[in-house]
Amino acid sequence: MTSLDEQRALVAQGCRVAAARGLVDGILGHLSLRVDDEHLLVRCRSDTDTGVAFTRPGDIRLLTLDGRAGAGGELDGYRVPNELPIHVETLLANPRHRAVAHLHPPAVVAADLAGIAIRPIYGAYDIPGAWLARGGVPVYERAVLIRTPALGKEMVAAMRGRPVVICRGHGITSAGATVQQAVLQAISLDALARMSLRVKGAGGTLRDIDDTDWDDLPDLGPSFTAEAAWRHEVARLPAD
């Protein structure tokens, strides 16, 4: 495969992982990967689309940052996502971000609507998730379809430089250096939301872990927190 073919396959795989984790349902949600200064790969929709869980490399199309076909035939039979500005504005705002996942995890949406802020309520249960929450998870408070550059810029401003943002009444945007990072962050955010809802549902009180615990919650390295974690997520996918 060419490098572009490999990148299409990775974005498609990321879509399927997100769906397998329940972070998207049906036909809503999309992932992207920036390939150079002028182009990105993004999941597009066709008239035969059967949903994010069934994304294949051919559904990942090469576009310019202004939404045009990035090469001949790239948009034949495919439509650009309405919310392409989510991806473009997030990528343009931070050069370290090369991948963007816009997903609709019900637990995160429900927790936010219930007034539950995502906080570091646990530690070694999920160390990357704990650190993600410690840095803060901002909220974009408009429940709109983010289909214009102006709205995309509003969402990015609400993101405040953090890697994830909750879009109230809508979903989340997760940005990372890789597709794997963007999706794994979303999985951790969803786990925090689910645990928060369970604790509150059991009548408990959400409390941050003790400050003294952070020194013993080390970065276990990418071979564990990213590579091994991603192998697991791929292994969980239904067989073709």
Side-chain angles (χ1 to χ4, degrees), residues 1-222:
M1 289 192 295
T2 67
S3 176
L4 198 61
D5 288 337
E6 292 170 348
Q7 290 172 317
R8 289 186 203 268
L10 177 59
V11 177
Q13 186 181 75
C15 290
R16 297 196 302 276
V17 165
R21 278 290 190 172
L23 306 183
V24 288
D25 188 26
I27 61 174
L28 300 177
H30 23 75
L31 271 70
S32 68
L33 175 64
R34 190 168 186 174
V35 298
D36 59 33
D37 289 345
E38 299 178 357
H39 299 86
L40 77 162
L41 290 165
V42 66
R43 187 189 193 279
C44 293
R45 192 176 301 160
S46 71
D47 289 338
T48 59
D49 189 3
T50 54
V52 181
F54 306 101
T55 303
R56 292 295 176 261
D59 300 320
I60 311 304
R61 314 306 291 183
L62 183 68
L63 304 180
T64 61
L65 295 183
D66 59 2
R68 294 177 291 113
E74 283 291 335
L75 285 177
D76 291 354
Y78 281 87
R79 297 183 297 280
V80 176
N82 285 324
E83 293 188 308
L84 183 66
I86 287 177
H87 300 268
V88 173
E89 298 304 330
T90 302
L91 293 171
L92 290 176
N94 190 333
R96 293 176 298 174
H97 292 159
R98 307 294 297 180
V100 175
H102 175 61
L103 309 169
H104 293 182
V108 180
V109 175
D112 176 62
L113 292 176
I116 300 172
I118 301 298
R119 297 161 51 187
I121 58 173
Y122 52 60
Y125 181 86
D126 175 12
I127 294 175
W131 281 101
L132 180 69
R134 189 189 194 196
V137 180
V139 178
Y140 175 53
E141 297 184 357
R142 301 189 66 189
V144 297
L145 195 69
I146 305 172
R147 58 182 178 172
T148 67
L151 289 172
K153 287 181 172 67
E154 276 189 7
M155 186 207 72
V156 169
M159 215 166 178
R160 302 198 311 272
R162 297 293 297 146
V164 294
V165 63
I166 297 170
C167 302
R168 177 156 294 159
H170 183 175
I172 69 169
T173 297
S174 174
T178 66
V179 168
Q180 296 94 323
Q181 182 183 12
V183 177
L184 289 171
Q185 286 174 170
I187 292 171
S188 286
L189 182 62
D190 183 63
L192 279 159
R194 288 174 181 271
M195 188 67 77
S196 298
L197 289 167
R198 290 179 70 177
V199 170
K200 293 289 283 187
T205 300
L206 298 175
R207 289 185 287 267
D208 293 3
I209 62 173
D210 290 339
D211 287 342
T212 55
D213 289 342
W214 289 105
D215 287 343
D216 290 309
L217 291 173
D219 182 349
L220 298 177

Side-chain angles (χ1 to χ4, degrees), residues 16 54 56 234-240:
R16 297 196 302 276
F54 306 101
R56 292 295 176 261
V234 173
R236 296 177 75 253
L237 294 176
D240 290 334

